[in-house]
């Protein structure tokens, strides 16, 4: 039983049915719709029609290539409905979803049931792939199932940058008041640098929310640009306060600092502490690169402020996408804390294959960390549960190469080649039965 006919649910259904398993795919649309959907098609693209870069020096391109090699329905259909978009894979939105729907509904092993699921059944293998707009009834059922008092209903995520892209000559370690043994990286700003940054932040263009995404801000997740509007000193008494910090270069307290916190175990990614934002992505790069240490920063995730529903995956999910304590229940798509069309579909692919393996008495696959699929799953299942936020695929999630490569493009290509080599070694397991 698969609940949800979006990208993840559709890919999961195809993977399972292609391996000889009878599938029920439950989708409440069009009888009951959501504020974001416009049609009753499966795999509807509700925002952009772009599936992002198709090049192997881009992590999204690598993830798509792994999906193609694993027999992805969505990648096959996307190729037939491609529209001009430079180096990106963009599709005719309606044609893409219409063909996915026809292929799913026409498969002899898939029964599409157009009804809302309000309870999670016991005693059968289930894949939940209901996305960020999970219905209220199913949200309550998921709370009961997981034992969590609440799910996350609003993203307030700060940008994440790669460690390699920082100007380390303009960074010093240290925690305010000397606590934490220097767990934070501090990016100091002079008075002139701070006010230049502040003015740019005030003028920056913001993302316009959808009608169903009300701007409900709490003091604990206030967008940095909203804080700035309260006055020129607000940030210096908030996330940019320099209290208790001494810059070892000058021997003095900085006028202001931006703190970076390690975001993964490997120390390849850092997030900007307290910098959740609703600025447009291009504006985030422009404004945040005014921070001297971030002048050449590589942003692998932008800050977001929007409605979302996702579980605390590090606390609840195994690396095989099974619910801890309930191995017959798999979760996939944005519900598990991945961002983006491709990431959601990729998780559906893995959940579909692993559900089949469970049914057939085989061990579900724990994918290699040096593949795009494995790296993304590793992140969402091992991140700090207290600070977990959704993540896109990016090269910072993969283990670094065994040698330093100065060219970012060359480094990314080498990471992709290594990933594809590792991926091809497990494709036999993927195609088993």
């Amino acid at each position: 039983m698969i609940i949800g006919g979006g990208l993840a649910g559709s890919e999961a259904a195809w993977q399972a049915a292609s391996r000889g398993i009878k599938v029920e795919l439950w989708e409440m649309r069009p009888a009951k719709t959501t504020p974001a959907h416009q049609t009753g098609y499966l795999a509807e693209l509700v925002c952009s029609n772009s599936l992002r870069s198709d090049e192997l020096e881009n992590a999204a391109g690598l993830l798509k290539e792994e999906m193609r090699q694993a027999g992805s329905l969505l990648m096959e259909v996307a190729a037939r409905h491609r529209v001009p978009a430079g180096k990106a894979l963009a599709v005719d939105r309606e044609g893409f979803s219409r063909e996915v729907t026809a292929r799913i509904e026409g498969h002899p092993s898939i029964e599409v049931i157009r009804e809302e699921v309000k309870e999670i059944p016991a005693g059968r293998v289930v894949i939940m792939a209901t996305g960020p707009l999970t219905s209220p009834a199913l949200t309550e059922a998921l709370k009961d199932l997981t034992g969590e008092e609440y799910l996350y209903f609003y993203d307030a995520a700060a940008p994440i940058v790669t460690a390699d892209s920082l100007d380390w000559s303009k960074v010093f370690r240290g925690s305010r008041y000397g606590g934490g043994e220097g767990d934070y990286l501090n990016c100091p700003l002079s008075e002139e640098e701070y006010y230049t940054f502040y003015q740019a932040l005030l003028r920056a263009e913001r993302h316009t929310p959808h009608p169903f995404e009300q701007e409900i801000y709490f003091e604990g997740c206030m967008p940095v640009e909203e804080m700035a509007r309260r006055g020129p000193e607000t940030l210096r008494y908030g996330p940019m306060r320099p209290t208790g910090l001494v810059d070892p270069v000058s021997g003095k307290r900085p006028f202001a600092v931006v703190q970076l916190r390690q975001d993964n175990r490997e120390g390849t990614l850092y997030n900007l502490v307290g910098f959740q934002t609703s600025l447009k992505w291009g504006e985030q790069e422009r404004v945040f690169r005014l921070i001297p240490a971030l002048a050449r920063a590589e942003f692998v995730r932008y800050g977001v402020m929007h409605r979302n529903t996702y579980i605390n995956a590090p606390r609840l999910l195994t690396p095989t996408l099974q619910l801890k304590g309930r191995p017959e229940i798999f979760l996939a798509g944005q519900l598990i804390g991945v961002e983006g069309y491709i990431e959601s579909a990729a998780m559906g692919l893995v959940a579909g294959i692993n559900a089949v393996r469970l049914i057939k008495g085989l061990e579900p696959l724990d994918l290699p960390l040096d593949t795009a699929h494995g790296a993304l799953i590793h992140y969402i299942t091992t991140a700090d549960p207290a600070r977990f936020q959704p993540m896109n695929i990016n090269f910072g999630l993969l283990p670094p190469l065994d040698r330093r490569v100065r060219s970012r493009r060359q480094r990314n290509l080498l990471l992709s080649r290594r990933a594809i080599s590792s991926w091809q070694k497990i494709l036999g397991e993927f195609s088993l039965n």
Side-chain angles (χ1 to χ4, degrees), residues 196-235:
T196 298
F197 168 78
Y198 170 74
Q199 291 298 329
L201 188 59
L202 288 181
R203 295 192 296 267
E205 191 174 358
R206 301 170 59 194
H207 163 75
T208 302
H210 294 288
F212 59 88
E213 294 178 327
Q214 298 299 316
E215 294 191 21
I216 304 171
Y217 301 135
F218 304 96
E219 290 300 313
C221 64
M222 182 72 63
V224 66
E225 62 272 14
E226 287 295 318
M227 284 189 278
R229 287 184 173 87
R230 296 182 175 185
E233 300 302 306
T234 304
L235 294 176

Side-chain angles (χ1 to χ4, degrees), residues 263 265 312 314-315 378-386 388-389:
D263 200 75
R265 290 182 179 179
N312 194 330
R315 183 177 294 144
H378 174 76
Y379 178 84
I380 65 170
T381 56
T382 63
D384 181 355
F388 179 60
Q389 294 282 357

